[in-house]
Amino acid sequence: MTYLSRVRINPLRAAGRNLLANPRALHGAVLAGIPDTAPGDRILWRLDADHPRRPVLLVLTPSKPDWTHIVEQAGWPDAEGEHYAIRDYSPLLAQLAIGREFAFRLKASPVQNTSTPDKANPNRTKTAAELHHRSYRMPHRTAAQQLTWLLDRTTRWGFTIPEARTDSPAPGLEPSSSDTTADTQPAREVRITDRNRSTFTKPGTRTPVTLTTATFEGHLRITDPGLLQAALLGGIGPSKAYGCGLLTLAPLPSGHR
């Protein structure tokens, strides 16, 4: 059974600020809440900090977790109210059907594989695959590139994004002149609500890890329930250990129905 959790984090406590600022530390806190994991289990999480005073951690787990340690160390352990909530994910998965529409949110790390990067990081350590194939995994850094990355891949994840009701994309999201889809891609029901670039180090190494992310929100229409379920449970794109890849669905606002 799969569970989706919502955990409140206190940004005024030192431990809370550390979790909010360090994806590696938050990843460790997530793993500490899951008592049993099996080989191949996928754990997805995302930090939603739309309101800086009420950040929320979302976690998708294949077994029932316990978030008491986060509440005690980085929450409001003695306050009233619900500190975390854990819900069975099965009812949502049962609603997946061709043609159904949902609002969605996704924090992802849009990347491209290239053998001729414009700006290769001299401190970056190549993976074994890159050494063999002489290619780099480079982040998309502009909003237009990140949006194109998403739109080019939705069918492989089992959904499409309907055409937008607005006349044109929001400022900064117009396709670039070098984009081959610039003349054919209509505006879609999706927008980037947050873009971020963070740097941190892994334990035992001084080589910095740079994470470039984009948070997408919009409206999707299901084309293949099986593919969408795989994307929901397995995540989308790279950097899943650092809070990327969790796609969440919600009912559409009444004006979209």
Side-chain angles (χ1 to χ4, degrees):
M1 186 177 291
T2 304
Y3 296 89
L4 181 66
S5 303
R6 291 172 55 90
V7 188
R8 297 170 61 198
I9 297 179
N10 186 345
L12 301 181
R13 298 183 66 179
R17 290 194 298 271
N18 180 53
L19 293 182
L20 295 174
N22 190 331
R24 183 180 63 80
L26 191 47
H27 174 64
V30 167
L31 294 183
I34 304 166
D36 298 306
T37 58
D41 280 353
R42 172 64 69 186
I43 299 165
L44 300 172
W45 62 271
R46 185 180 76 223
L47 180 64
D48 285 350
D50 309 70
H51 195 302
R53 297 186 61 182
R54 293 195 294 270
V56 174
L57 171 66
L58 297 177
V59 191
L60 190 70
T61 57
S63 60
K64 192 171 184 177
D66 180 4
W67 307 118
T68 305
H69 65 295
I70 295 182
V71 174
E72 293 177 345
Q73 298 169 18
W76 292 266
D78 297 322
E80 294 182 353
E82 187 178 59
H83 301 292
Y84 65 81
I86 302 173
R87 300 288 185 265
D88 180 6
Y89 209 51
S90 301
L92 181 279
L93 298 178
Q95 295 181 46
L96 304 183
I98 293 176
R100 289 210 63 174
E101 300 183 359
F102 292 90
F104 76 89
R105 174 178 279 199
L106 166 69
K107 181 178 181 180
S109 179
V111 298
Q112 60 177 326
N113 292 320
T114 176
S115 59
T116 57
D118 294 333
K119 296 181 180 179
N121 184 345
N123 296 320
R124 183 176 179 278
T125 302
K126 292 183 179 180
T127 65
E130 289 174 338
L131 289 170
H132 180 71
H133 296 288
R134 296 184 179 181
S135 65
Y136 294 85
R137 175 177 281 182
M138 300 296 292
H140 287 300
R141 296 181 178 176
T142 70
Q145 290 171 340
Q146 292 167 345
L147 189 60
T148 298
W149 174 88
L150 176 73
L151 294 174
D152 285 349
R153 290 163 174 77
T154 56
T155 54
R156 72 178 67 172
W157 299 322
F159 64 90
T160 60
I161 298 178
E163 292 188 20
R165 299 182 182 184
T166 56
D167 294 332
S168 60
L173 298 185
E174 301 87 348
S176 63
S177 58
S178 60
D179 183 5
T180 57
T181 64
D183 296 331
T184 61
Q185 185 67 262
R188 300 284 175 174
E189 285 281 1
V190 60
R191 61 193 179 107
I192 296 177
T193 59
D194 182 69
R195 301 173 63 235
N196 187 48
R197 188 182 183 194
S198 59
T199 302
F200 53 94
T201 57
K202 292 183 179 180
T205 178
R206 296 183 178 180
T207 303
V209 175
T210 299
L211 181 65
T212 302
T213 64
T215 300
F216 304 92
E217 291 186 18
H219 166 187
L220 64 77
R221 180 179 298 125
I222 300 175
T223 57
D224 187 316
L227 290 178
L228 180 54
Q229 178 168 319
L232 290 168
L233 299 179
I236 287 175
S239 302
K240 297 181 181 70
Y242 300 124
C244 296
L246 175 58
L247 173 68
T248 52
L249 307 181
L252 282 172
S254 57
H256 285 76
R257 294 175 181 174

